[in-house]
Amino acid sequence: MEEKKKVVSIEDRIPKLKQVRKKKANRRLVQYLSVLFLLIAIVVYLQSPLSHVRNIEVEGENYVSSEKIKDMSGITDTTNFWKVDPADIEENITSHNQIIDVEVKRNLPSTIRIEVEEAERIGYVQVDGKYQPILENGTKLDVQMAIPGGDAPVLKGFTKATYLKEMSKELKELSNSIASLISEIHWTPKEDNPYLITLYMNDGYEVQASIRTFSSKMPAYPSIVSQLSEDQEGIVHIDVGAYFEAYPDSKKEEEDAEGNAAEENRDES
């Protein structure tokens, strides 16, 4: 016996079709309204103080103050977080001759992070009784100090920029542990050697060296002086070869006399 097929009339199907279409229309309406509200919320957010930069973090600064870096960035508490252009800020900050590299990042929700790399101060030169820092590229900073910073040696007699620049590069290559042993570097050229320099060390020794080989030969200094007795005074030569030359007796006596005179002056005062 054949099973009778159930026949659904079109009148029965119409309500169901209307209901499905209504649900689809409602879903579309909800989607459209959601997008609309989202767009409105974004517009309101962008126009409100909620989108402003609230924090500026600076890292890597040493000589240039964080306040100076923030000021150079041009960012204020009314700057829109999303309108910050990292490339523009990096260009602004690297215009400072002490800063050689900058990286700007956005950190949600409202923080701008500025990471800087500063040029190293490798020495100080005396100008009109004041001291100016010298950067690793030989540039003099437009800053005058009553006394040198103590973090680098004082460079004297470098009247030609070419030799000062080369000396700066050599000092940059020198390790901090060796550089900290140097008190002063004097440019003392001779006709046959315009690169000759004389160093005065914090331990009292004098060193004669060449600018061109300075960074490669100076690391041998500690091992040379470690072989000398405490009462030996003189010059450590590392310009040609490496050897120690004791002061002649006349120079020793002169220095002793100067030292005694200084002590007498202190006692009288």
Side-chain angles (χ1 to χ4, degrees), residues 48-148:
S48 74
L50 293 174
S51 64
H52 293 170
V53 175
R54 295 186 182 179
N55 299 303
I56 304 174
E57 297 178 353
V58 179
E59 275 202 359
E61 83 282 7
N62 187 19
Y63 299 109
V64 184
S65 69
S66 60
E67 292 304 317
K68 176 67 175 176
I69 293 170
K70 291 176 184 179
D71 184 57
M72 293 182 70
S73 73
I75 302 173
T76 68
D77 56 5
T78 60
T79 301
N80 189 293
F81 179 78
W82 300 103
K83 291 183 179 179
V84 169
D85 187 337
D88 282 348
I89 295 173
E90 289 165 3
E91 185 178 353
N92 291 341
I93 297 175
T94 50
S95 66
H96 194 291
N97 55 10
Q98 177 84 59
I99 298 173
I100 57 177
D101 191 34
V102 182
E103 186 176 4
V104 177
K105 299 176 182 177
R106 290 192 190 94
N107 287 350
L108 294 173
S110 57
T111 297
I112 299 297
R113 187 181 187 85
I114 303 173
E115 297 177 6
V116 301
E117 181 184 349
E118 295 180 337
E120 186 179 349
R121 291 187 182 186
I122 52 80
Y124 296 86
V125 293
Q126 193 171 17
V127 179
D128 299 328
K130 302 285 186 179
Y131 292 90
Q132 283 184 274
I134 298 292
L135 302 182
E136 58 193 63
N137 58 5
T139 303
K140 294 179 186 177
L141 282 182
D142 190 19
V143 175
Q144 292 191 335
M145 310 167 66
I147 56 174

